[in-house]
Amino acid sequence: MSTHDSPDPSKAVLWDTHYHGHDVISTRSFGYFLYLLSDGMLFATLFAAYGVLSYSHSYFNGPTPADFVHPWYTFTQTVALFLSVLAYGMGMSAVKKGNKAGLMNGLIAAFVLGVIFLGLDIHDMMDLAAHGVTVQTSGGASAFIVLTQVHAAHIFFGLIWILVMIAQVAGKGFTTDTVGRLLSLRMFWHLQAIIWVFVFVFVYLWGYMS
Amino acid sequence: MLVQVPGGWNPLLGRLAIDQIPYTNPILAPLFVAVVIGGIILLGLITYYQKWGYLWKEWLTTVDHKKLGVMYIILGLVMLFRGFIDGLMIRTQQVWANGPDSSGVFGAVHGYLTPFHFGQVYSAHGLIMILLAATPLLVGFMNIIVPIQIGARDMAYPYLNALGLWITAAAVVLIMISLFVGDFAHNGWFGYAPIFELQYSPGVGVDYWIWTLELTALGTTLGGINLIATIVKMRAPGMTWFRLPIFTWASLSANIIALTSFPALQVALFLVACDRYFGSHFFTAGFGGNLMLYTNLFWLWGHPEVYFVILPAFGMMSEIFPTFSEKPLFGYITMVAASFAIAGVSWLVWLHHFFTMGAGPEVNSAFSVATMLVGIPTGVKVFNWAFTMYRGRITYTAAMLWAIGALFLLLVGGLTGMMLAIPAINYMVHNSVFVIAHFHSMLLVIVYAIFGSVLFWFPKVFGFKLDEFWAKTMFWLFTAGTVLVFVPMYMLGFMGETRRLDYVFNTAWHPYLVVEEIGIAVYCLSVAAFFVLLYVSIRDRVKNRVGQDAWGTSRSLEWLTHSPVPFYNFAVTPHVNARDELAWRRHNGINEAQPTQYVDIHMPNNTGVAVYIGALTFVLGFALTWRIWWLCLLSLAAIIVLMIVRSWRGDPGYIITAAELEKMEREAMQRQQQVEESLPHHGGHAVPGGAMAYEGQKLSPLGTPPSAGDQH
């Protein structure tokens, strides 16, 4: 079998002295992409749990999302997050031109908008708690809060990462390491926005209508 | 927000108090003393021989995939031993606590373990064997072998590799500490809703269980990412997809399963943690919680995990059979397809773990059919191995015996699995020891493949072979133990013995329980044989040194470099010309060809950061278990800071210059020549005749026809 596709051994190349192997950035991006796949699975599992716990009996005697979800409020969060992703993307387009200031502006804008998103989320949670909706209220409320807050935790760590990148790019400029990390962070930030689409549709809109 | 825990809590130590240390327990207290004394002796010896520097520089801070793999395997073997001791305790309790007249000691009414302690032993046995023994052992082999097999210099991310190991080690330390501080979970290794809820399990056992599993899942996910990226990105030139060795293919399919399934476990356990720490109601019996949601989420990971551990074992068997049959693997393409078919189907079968849930005939039938489907690719594999051996020139080395043993066990486990896949039968034997005997047959396939691989790849990693006599002695003792323990267990399952019994009520089962206990004694002998094997082999290591190709009939790329493998793997990246590259080179008489020109190579630096982060994840897990909040925040912050510091510094690596490389290679070649001259058989052949049966071409184009003892 294996000999059929093999070259003539007397002419075969046995060693590749000048083989340069892999490209560092593409290998890292690929690995980070794999990590994001597992992150996606994490959210898929949370959505499955939310799906199972969104029947009316899952809310026990407590309020259902129809009572405590405010899609218009959440829409402002959506806008903030999407603008943050847009700002990040514009910052990254400056990297192609080697424009450090452009990237910095993009990162700072993305950071500020991310903070707004997170602030709105925390405010929303505190508002819910004030109205008696906490993880202890019912199975359905637990699923609602844990799903949205796991997303918020991702945003929180993403914000730390953006800060770190601002410092690193300021200190080191565009190196293989920093550019590789900026690309990974871009994938991360985009994925969180994509997950948010699902959260908004299936948790807030669907919850409002149910 | 946080739930009030029963018993004491203080801000400094959380739930930790002196009465949490079971110093009155007549089994644990002496063990604790023994462990402390043993630990002091070990640390003393390291200090006395001044090995701390060596240990730190060469092992703990290493990013070399081979050393990390060796440490994974040592970790796995230690935990295999611990899990075996748990098994021994379970069997001993059952043979003793049989019938109403059975006596008890140590405060137990029957036997020597109280029901609560027995439950902990049971949970720990399962968790350890699957996640902290089998998984590290397999990950260790993948770590060592896959990069060399594909002609890479290291894994794609050497530092991440070290991180994966040390996080796994943190999980090991956490579960071991649960022996002496607090309790372990008593809810089975997979947990039961709502038994693990705070209300029903107020101690810290379940918390230990949660965080041990979470750390393991994290470590394995990181390892999975690394292996997939390595296989996709780091292959040597000419190593096309369909020249990839089967073990590498199996590792790839297994790690795709790991990457996609472990998040489900992480979420399931995270939700249990939410229930216990924040009082949420995911799996509670009231307030809208759903008990079966946990079981579904857990087995959504749990069943793919079963294939995550069996697929690398299949890959190992696929390397051992061809080498000792002197034939290429039969049906390479179908073998690859079968691996991926199993990986795919692994996602569609989880519900067969609870056919008795009451899902109705349609759902049960669908999952029954899906489960049976696994039999098709597995059957393909079994036939391929059989056809590989058919008309091969088989040598019954100890490694081959283990592989053949695995084949027989796969037959037993597979056929009983088919029985269990039928819901009607499953209703009858559900939760009986028949099920236990079935999955132990399957998991022993993995153990057999692992021991076969230890023997098979040991000379590659350490440069000398293990002693064949003691390896075979161990094999036969182990096999006798397997038969004696699990045949009676299949029978008891049909007689109605359920699993997890700390007290066995039916005296008619006593003879079978005695046979099982004898089997355990024979297993003990095989463990002793294993230690003798290590001792004898290390004593005679000079006599047992091997050359590049330790078996004389090896086929894949890892046998092309020196034994032991130098830290840079290949001085010059090999160009791959055939599927079984080494067999092809040997057949054409060019397997001794060495590169003539060297160039500088770039290597990563060692780093202590991975060890620190591993240690901090242990602290985090411990603090979470005992609810020491300040320590949680501190360790989490420290982890983040370390990550940022490391990312700031980066790793420029270092260069091995061509001149240094040439010198090292020349020395390695000299050593090898000495080895080959001192050997009774030329070239270190275990097999007289060498690789004759290659592809029907009898004449080597480069010179003399291959003949006995003249393969090099």
Side-chain angles (χ1 to χ4, degrees):
Chain A
M1 270 170 279
S2 52
T3 42
H4 297 324
D5 62 342
S6 308
D8 178 354
S10 58
K11 291 176 198 142
V13 179
L14 297 182
W15 309 98
D16 269 276
T17 317
H18 294 289
Y19 176 64
H20 289 299
H22 56 288
D23 158 32
V24 174
I25 287 187
S26 94
T27 306
R28 282 195 191 170
S29 302
F30 179 67
Y32 197 75
F33 172 74
L34 291 176
Y35 160 72
L36 288 182
L37 281 183
S38 82
D39 206 34
M41 282 304 297
L42 196 141
F43 278 109
T45 314
L46 282 170
F47 275 108
Y50 180 78
V52 170
L53 292 178
S54 60
Y55 293 93
S56 54
H57 61 257
S58 305
Y59 295 97
F60 197 51
N61 293 327
T64 65
D67 303 322
F68 59 74
V69 157
H70 316 292
W72 282 111
Y73 179 92
T74 318
F75 183 69
T76 54
Q77 273 184 281
T78 310
V79 171
L81 189 62
F82 280 21
L83 285 177
S84 173
V85 169
L86 181 67
Y88 195 103
M90 288 167 78
M92 287 303 283
S93 72
V95 176
K96 284 184 198 161
K97 303 185 194 97
N99 178 359
K100 202 165 136 185
L103 174 75
M104 285 299 199
N105 291 338
L107 287 182
I108 291 165
F111 179 78
V112 171
L113 287 159
V115 170
I116 291 173
F117 171 87
L118 203 57
L120 288 169
D121 181 80
I122 292 168
H123 177 259
D124 191 24
M125 281 300 125
M126 288 169 69
D127 188 48
L128 284 182
H131 288 87
V133 181
T134 67
V135 284
Q136 301 186 356
T137 309
S138 64
S142 303
F144 171 82
I145 292 174
V146 168
L147 172 55
T148 54
Q149 293 319 294
V150 167
H151 181 267
H154 277 80
I155 297 293
F156 175 71
F157 286 108
L159 289 174
I160 295 181
W161 193 359
I162 292 179
L163 281 184
V164 171
M165 289 323 296
I166 290 173
Q168 287 198 355
V169 174
K172 300 180 166 192
F174 295 139
T175 65
T176 309
D177 277 350
T178 54
V179 172
R181 284 179 199 133
L182 284 170
L183 289 167
S184 297
L185 178 55
R186 179 174 70 173
M187 281 194 283
F188 178 81
W189 209 234
H190 277 65
L191 181 75
Q192 300 319 319
I194 292 166
I195 301 284
W196 180 255
V197 174
F198 289 94
V199 174
F200 188 60
V201 171
F202 288 106
V203 178
Y204 288 92
L205 291 183
W206 188 40
Y208 183 68
M209 290 189 296
S210 63
Chain B
M1 187 73 174
L2 289 168
V3 172
Q4 199 73 34
V5 283
W9 182 87
N10 69 67
L12 187 65
L13 288 174
R15 305 182 77 185
L16 197 55
I18 192 74
D19 63 351
Q20 291 289 350
I21 295 170
Y23 49 83
T24 53
N25 186 310
I27 298 162
L28 289 174
L31 181 65
F32 182 65
V33 174
V35 167
V36 170
I37 293 173
I40 291 171
I41 291 175
L42 186 68
L43 298 181
L45 282 175
I46 297 172
T47 314
Y48 181 76
Y49 288 106
Q50 298 180 342
K51 290 290 181 195
W52 282 112
Y54 166 78
L55 209 59
W56 180 253
K57 277 187 209 136
E58 294 291 322
W59 290 93
L60 301 182
T61 59
T62 188
V63 291
D64 181 347
H65 69 97
K66 299 172 289 294
K67 284 184 174 168
L68 291 170
V70 168
M71 286 190 281
Y72 260 120
I73 289 169
I74 292 171
L75 196 75
L77 285 174
V78 170
M79 292 315 278
L80 191 67
F81 184 67
R82 153 90 210 262
F84 166 69
I85 297 295
D86 287 337
L88 183 152
M89 290 174 80
I90 293 166
R91 291 282 131 252
T92 308
Q93 168 78 7
Q94 287 191 334
V95 71
W96 188 345
N98 179 221
D101 300 325
S102 58
S103 59
V105 292
F106 295 155
V109 180
H110 302 279
Y112 68 108
L113 292 170
T114 57
F116 181 61
H117 192 170
F118 184 80
Q120 294 177 47
V121 174
Y122 228 123
S123 309
H125 173 71
L127 174 60
I128 285 173
M129 282 305 204
I130 293 179
L131 281 149
L132 299 172
T135 305
L137 283 165
L138 294 168
V139 172
F141 274 107
M142 292 191 260
N143 244 308
I144 297 175
I145 301 304
V146 165
I148 334 179
Q149 241 180 10
I150 60 173
R153 195 147 275 146
D154 206 326
M155 298 275 273
Y157 320 107
Y159 161 70
L160 187 73
N161 200 11
L163 203 57
L165 169 75
W166 292 115
I167 292 175
T168 309
V172 166
V173 177
L174 196 60
I175 198 171
M176 292 307 269
I177 264 240
S178 76
L179 268 177
F180 306 120
V181 187
D183 306 308
F184 192 66
H186 61 124
N187 56 2
W189 76 276
F190 41 80
Y192 263 123
I195 296 169
F196 52 50
E197 296 288 344
L198 194 63
Q199 204 178 343
Y200 307 103
S201 300
V204 290
V206 176
D207 303 321
Y208 267 124
W209 168 78
I210 292 172
W211 303 117
T212 304
L213 271 172
E214 288 281 15
L215 287 180
T216 318
L218 182 60
T220 311
T221 309
L222 297 181
I225 291 170
N226 213 339
L227 268 155
I228 296 173
T230 304
I231 296 168
V232 172
K233 289 280 186 184
M234 308 285 282
R235 284 168 292 136
M239 180 59 86
T240 56
W241 283 106
F242 283 113
R243 284 178 184 165
L244 222 51
I246 285 290
F247 180 65
T248 302
W249 269 120
S251 305
L252 182 65
S253 57
N255 280 297
I256 290 172
I257 297 178
L259 185 70
T260 47
S261 71
F262 270 91
L265 173 71
Q266 284 177 311
V267 168
L269 291 162
F270 177 69
L271 299 184
V272 178
C274 285
D275 276 9
R276 286 179 65 88
Y277 287 76
F278 302 122
S280 61
H281 295 288
F282 284 99
F283 312 126
T284 54
F287 293 94
N290 190 325
L291 279 63
M292 286 317 293
L293 173 62
Y294 174 77
T295 314
N296 274 287
L297 288 184
F298 184 89
W299 287 111
L300 188 63
W301 160 79
H303 207 87
E305 159 72 10
V306 173
Y307 296 108
F308 166 72
V309 287
I310 200 102
L311 282 171
F314 287 169
M316 291 165 166
M317 291 160 74
S318 304
E319 299 290 330
I320 294 171
F321 283 127
T323 300
F324 298 111
S325 304
E326 298 188 38
K327 274 174 70 190
L329 184 70
F330 185 91
Y332 173 90
I333 302 277
T334 53
M335 214 59 157
V336 175
S339 295
F340 280 80
I342 292 173
V345 177
S346 78
W347 277 97
L348 308 173
V349 298
W350 81 90
L351 196 126
H352 71 218
H353 288 267
F354 35 97
F355 273 147
T356 54
M357 176 173 75
E362 296 85 2
V363 174
N364 279 359
S365 305
F367 280 89
S368 166
V369 171
T371 304
M372 290 189 193
L373 278 181
V374 179
I376 297 171
T378 312
V380 166
K381 279 177 179 277
V382 172
F383 282 116
N384 280 345
W385 291 321
F387 285 133
T388 304
M389 288 188 280
Y390 175 67
R391 300 194 73 174
R393 192 182 297 234
I394 299 176
T395 27
Y396 291 102
T397 58
M400 186 68 164
L401 289 183
W402 284 107
I404 294 171
L407 204 53
F408 278 99
L409 272 169
L410 181 58
L411 200 64
V412 176
L415 291 176
T416 51
M418 281 291 150
M419 293 166 72
L420 290 169
I422 300 167
I425 294 180
N426 201 304
Y427 267 73
M428 291 301 292
V429 294
H430 181 80
N431 260 354
S432 76
V433 290
F434 183 83
V435 180
I436 312 299
H438 154 71
F439 73 66
H440 277 83
S441 299
M442 294 310 288
L443 287 165
L444 281 163
V445 171
I446 301 162
V447 175
Y448 272 62
I450 286 171
F451 279 124
S453 301
V454 168
L455 293 159
F456 181 57
W457 277 309
F458 191 90
K460 184 80 272 178
V461 179
F462 293 102
F464 60 96
K465 281 184 188 172
L466 289 170
D467 186 83
E468 279 288 310
F469 171 78
W470 281 104
K472 284 180 181 169
T473 307
M474 182 197 170
F475 168 79
W476 288 112
L477 287 170
F478 197 93
T479 303
T482 303
V483 172
L484 287 170
V485 172
F486 294 105
V487 171
M489 207 184 277
Y490 277 119
M491 295 159 86
L492 283 170
F494 277 139
M495 294 176 199
E497 188 194 346
T498 49
R499 65 200 298 192
R500 291 189 213 99
L501 293 180
D502 63 285
Y503 164 65
V504 185
F505 59 89
N506 191 342
T507 46
W509 296 338
H510 194 249
Y512 300 89
L513 297 173
V514 170
V515 175
E516 287 183 19
E517 184 70 3
I518 293 170
I520 286 287
V522 178
Y523 267 139
C524 287
L525 292 178
S526 83
V527 174
F530 180 65
F531 285 115
V532 176
L533 165 69
L534 288 181
Y535 170 74
V536 169
S537 309
I538 293 171
R539 188 192 62 195
D540 298 343
R541 61 189 178 279
V542 178
K543 204 170 72 191
N544 291 328
R545 287 216 189 284
V546 293
Q548 289 185 187
D549 180 4
W551 304 103
T553 55
S554 315
R555 313 190 64 82
S556 44
L557 208 55
E558 74 266 31
W559 304 100
L560 190 64
T561 184
H562 312 297
S563 311
V565 185
F567 61 96
Y568 45 80
N569 288 3
F570 297 93
V572 176
T573 304
H575 189 103
V576 180
N577 297 287
R579 181 173 292 161
D580 290 342
E581 176 70 9
L582 184 69
W584 176 81
R585 288 193 187 194
R586 182 171 50 228
H587 176 70
N588 292 300
I590 46 178
N591 54 323
E592 295 269 281
Q594 295 296 326
T596 48
Q597 189 196 351
Y598 297 95
V599 290
D600 296 354
I601 51 182
H602 178 243
M603 299 292 293
N605 280 319
N606 284 4
T607 172
V609 178
V611 188
Y612 302 139
I613 292 185
L616 284 166
T617 54
F618 161 72
V619 174
L620 180 61
F622 189 78
L624 281 166
T625 301
W626 292 95
R627 301 176 194 232
I628 311 170
W629 305 122
W630 64 268
L631 193 56
C632 291
L633 290 176
L634 192 69
S635 50
L636 187 63
I639 291 170
I640 293 170
V641 168
L642 267 178
M643 286 166 75
I644 293 172
V645 168
R646 151 102 196 163
S647 100
W648 189 275
R649 280 205 312 232
D651 178 22
Y654 65 99
I655 299 283
I656 310 174
T657 62
E660 283 174 312
L661 198 61
E662 196 172 354
K663 186 163 158 280
M664 283 190 282
E665 280 292 293
R666 209 182 309 120
E667 281 166 9
M669 292 304 292
Q670 274 167 0
R671 270 200 305 276
Q672 190 163 315
Q673 248 163 9
Q674 281 168 2
V675 167
E676 286 179 11
E677 279 160 16
S678 69
L679 287 172
H681 304 291
H682 177 68
H685 290 286
V687 190
M692 291 272 291
Y694 192 78
E695 291 298 314
Q697 287 182 28
K698 291 294 177 211
L699 278 171
S700 139
L702 277 189
T704 52
S707 61
D710 193 24
Q711 298 304 304
H712 284 255

